[in-house]
Amino acid sequence: MDTIYLDNSATTRTDDEVLKAMLPYFSEHYGNPSSIYKIGRENRRAVEDAREKVAKALNCEPDEIYFTAGGSESDNTAIRGIAYNYKKKGNHIITSKIEHPAVLETCKQLEKEGFEVSYINVDENGFIKLDELQNAIKPTTTLITVMFANNEIGTIQPIKEIGEIAHKNNIIFHTDAVQAVGSVRIDVKELNIDSLSLSGHKFYGPKGIGALYVKKGVQFQKFVNGGHQERNKRAGTENVPGIVGLGKAIELAYENLEEHNKKIKELRDYYVEQIEKRVPYIKVNGDKEKRLPGNSNISFRFIEGEGLLLNLDLKGICASSGSACTSGSLDPSHVLLAIGLPHEIAHGSLRVSIGKYNTKEEIDYTIDSIVEIVSRLREMSPLWEEFNEKA
């Protein structure tokens, strides 16, 4: 069997229609959008057309959308830009303990620069504790930033309620929606969102292109100095092929959302059911209902996630471990620790994220492979031997 790709939370394959839309802008339509001659003006129209598509998907105005190089830049721009712009009002930021590093590391850096940050706990399913959020608010709080859906365990936060708390206290609400856009319908007005980050490669668009929504009236400092692109907020010649691809990808995602989600969720539920039936001593992480359709995160006791991941790779299966050791750290995922998993269980976690190109045949092969690998790894585990001796 060919490579089975089950790591769609990390990135997705670029859709063929998206690639087709992008190709002319590498060669035939190569003008600089800031130029006043025809091929420049044509590319400016292409950029603005994509901006309108992103705005339509989020139910906002096109001039509230700023193109960036991806989710991390969007998060940095929003958090730093808003924090510094409102510093005279206050220097306190609130976030959660399970945010993406693009948010957590930005907040840690801001702490070094004189800002105060409160990190709110989550419950065993990964939901932010709203009472703790409310109690953390101070007169100096200017920004709340909480992710829309978690990249590891898939839990979708009560975004509308978080936004209501923020607005009742005259606080700006930003959400990292990188994992959610393209999988969940998002109306920024209905959900009380003031700022939102997204990234094209999470919904079958190209890598290296993202967008930032900032509501009119919310001020933020520019992130890149230079020219006057993106309404004087992000200098640099626009990535026209990427912007066109992002626009096409978000258009396709929301045209076919329910159809794709139904198929993806059915495959995800089938995968989880079979693993629960065939592999003992496991824990499914994250909420069972309020989660991204393709996300599954399961902890397998008595094994190391790294070993499972590497053995799956030998069988041609691409997934993700709950452990961060592959990035040079021996610590388990900060998300899994935040939901209360002990180190030894968090270390044995596997994230499978299913996308629109996956098939039931691939899922069946993956299930059989996991059953066989987990059994073999446990037989070699001293923890498994000790557990059986005590049983």
Side-chain angles (χ1 to χ4, degrees), residues 10 94 107 120 153 218 242 314 373:
I94 300 175
C107 287
I120 305 301
I153 60 174
V218 174
L314 291 173
I373 293 168

Side-chain angles (χ1 to χ4, degrees), residues 42 103 153 177 182 200 202 229-230 232 235 258 276 280 298 322 342 387:
E42 289 173 345
V103 171
I153 60 174
K202 301 295 187 179
Q229 291 88 353
E230 295 304 296
N232 202 32
E258 283 71 28
E276 287 181 316
I298 299 177
F387 173 78

Side-chain angles (χ1 to χ4, degrees), residues 38 103 179 202 212 251 266 328 334 369 384:
K38 184 180 179 182
V103 171
Q179 289 291 332
K202 301 295 187 179
L212 172 65
E251 181 180 53
E266 285 175 356
H334 70 286
S369 298
W384 178 247

Side-chain angles (χ1 to χ4, degrees), residues 267-282:
L267 287 177
R268 193 273 314 277
D269 290 346
Y270 172 72
Y271 163 77
V272 174
E273 272 176 26
Q274 291 300 308
I275 294 296
E276 287 181 316
K277 285 180 182 177
R278 298 176 61 182
V279 184
Y281 307 111
I282 67 167

Side-chain angles (χ1 to χ4, degrees), residues 80-247:
R80 292 185 64 84
I82 292 169
Y84 268 103
N85 194 82
Y86 292 90
K87 193 174 183 181
K88 288 183 179 179
K89 177 187 173 186
N91 69 337
H92 183 231
I93 301 166
I94 300 175
T95 189
S96 85
K97 290 185 176 179
I98 64 168
E99 298 297 307
H100 188 276
V103 171
L104 292 177
E105 293 302 317
T106 301
C107 287
K108 288 176 184 176
Q109 180 60 38
L110 285 171
E111 286 183 286
K112 296 176 183 177
E113 298 170 15
F115 287 86
E116 181 186 1
V117 182
S118 296
Y119 299 89
I120 305 301
N121 291 304
V122 295
D123 66 18
E124 65 276 8
N125 288 322
F127 292 114
I128 190 170
K129 295 184 177 181
L130 294 177
D131 56 342
E132 188 174 330
L133 171 67
Q134 179 67 61
N135 292 334
I137 293 173
K138 303 179 179 184
T140 54
T141 307
T142 57
L143 175 66
I144 294 173
T145 176
V146 175
M147 68 194 332
F148 201 110
N150 187 263
N151 51 304
E152 293 193 35
I153 60 174
T155 299
I156 298 174
Q157 297 292 345
I159 293 297
K160 186 174 183 178
E161 290 81 355
I162 296 171
E164 285 175 352
I165 291 172
H167 290 174
K168 283 178 182 177
N169 291 276
N170 196 29
I171 296 167
I172 296 165
F173 175 43
H174 167 260
T175 184
D176 173 352
V178 167
Q179 289 291 332
V181 172
S183 294
V184 181
R185 290 204 179 274
I186 298 176
D187 184 326
V188 293
K189 295 176 183 176
E190 181 184 344
L191 297 177
N192 304 306
I193 297 169
D194 299 310
S195 177
L196 176 148
S197 302
L198 63 90
S199 187
H201 74 107
K202 301 295 187 179
F203 47 90
Y204 311 98
K207 298 174 182 63
I209 185 67
L212 172 65
Y213 156 74
V214 181
K215 181 181 177 182
K216 284 181 183 176
V218 174
Q219 303 298 316
F220 66 104
Q221 291 188 1
K222 68 166 66 176
F223 191 62
V224 180
N225 292 304
H228 300 287
Q229 291 88 353
E230 295 304 296
R231 295 184 301 288
N232 202 32
K233 289 298 187 181
R234 184 183 189 266
T237 302
E238 295 91 342
N239 173 9
V240 180
I243 290 170
V244 169
L246 174 64

